[in-house]
Amino acid sequence: MNKKLFSKIIAPLLLLPLTFSATGCSADRQQACDRGKPISEPQEAVRILLEAAETIDYDKACSVIMDKLDETVMNTQLAALKTDMDSAEVTSSNFTMVEFERGGPAHFYHVYADQPDKSVDLTLMEVGKGSRIAFGYDD
């Protein structure tokens, strides 16, 4: 992961614990794109996001990511994710997740099919008793 992308992701993530501690459990839903509950299993959240990228489905992606994105931005980001998935031969039904780093509520995963060196990297955030995916940040 390059330093520019890493810093774009980490800076907002460092503020989340403060936000959650200041506002309590209601922040869980306020931070969610769809204002819904966090996803209890990280693998399920990733599967749903990968499915959303395969079909460019805004609502499906919104059900598992953190911040709400404009539809045009979301579609662009989903198309970019789909390109990365195709390059790594990852689909919503053939992926494996390996956590490669953790920092506070952030869990960084390599998501791959057959070759761990060809992966899509995703960041999942602990939210309440589940997870949401930090998604939609430009490189």
Side-chain angles (χ1 to χ4, degrees):
M1 182 177 284
N2 68 42
K3 289 181 184 180
K4 184 178 175 185
L5 177 60
F6 188 75
S7 64
K8 281 185 173 183
I9 293 172
I10 290 301
L13 300 181
L14 295 175
L15 297 176
L16 287 174
L18 294 174
T19 302
F20 291 149
S21 64
T23 60
C25 293
S26 66
D28 292 353
R29 290 186 183 212
Q30 293 300 320
Q31 291 291 328
C33 176
D34 66 351
R35 303 289 191 247
K37 293 181 181 179
I39 310 306
S40 61
E41 295 297 322
Q43 294 82 1
E44 180 67 5
V46 169
R47 184 190 61 74
I48 291 169
L49 181 62
L50 297 177
E51 283 180 356
E54 290 168 344
T55 59
I56 312 297
D57 186 327
Y58 177 93
D59 292 330
K60 188 173 276 196
C62 192
S63 74
V64 295
I65 69 170
M66 293 292 292
D67 298 322
K68 188 166 185 78
L69 301 175
D70 173 85
E71 189 168 352
T72 303
V73 172
M74 176 78 86
N75 291 345
T76 300
Q77 294 297 321
L78 288 172
L81 176 58
K82 176 67 169 123
T83 299
D84 291 345
M85 290 167 58
D86 290 346
S87 178
E89 300 176 359
V90 170
T91 69
S92 61
S93 60
N94 76 348
F95 72 93
T96 299
M97 294 172 49
V98 175
E99 186 174 18
F100 68 91
E101 191 173 343
R102 181 176 183 194
H107 296 257
F108 302 93
Y109 288 92
H110 292 302
V111 179
Y112 64 91
D114 296 324
Q115 300 175 31
D117 60 323
K118 292 174 67 177
S119 67
V120 175
D121 293 339
L122 294 174
T123 303
L124 278 78
M125 298 296 301
E126 291 177 7
V127 180
K129 294 182 181 181
S131 300
R132 284 279 176 155
I133 300 172
F135 181 75
Y137 300 97
D138 290 331
D139 292 345

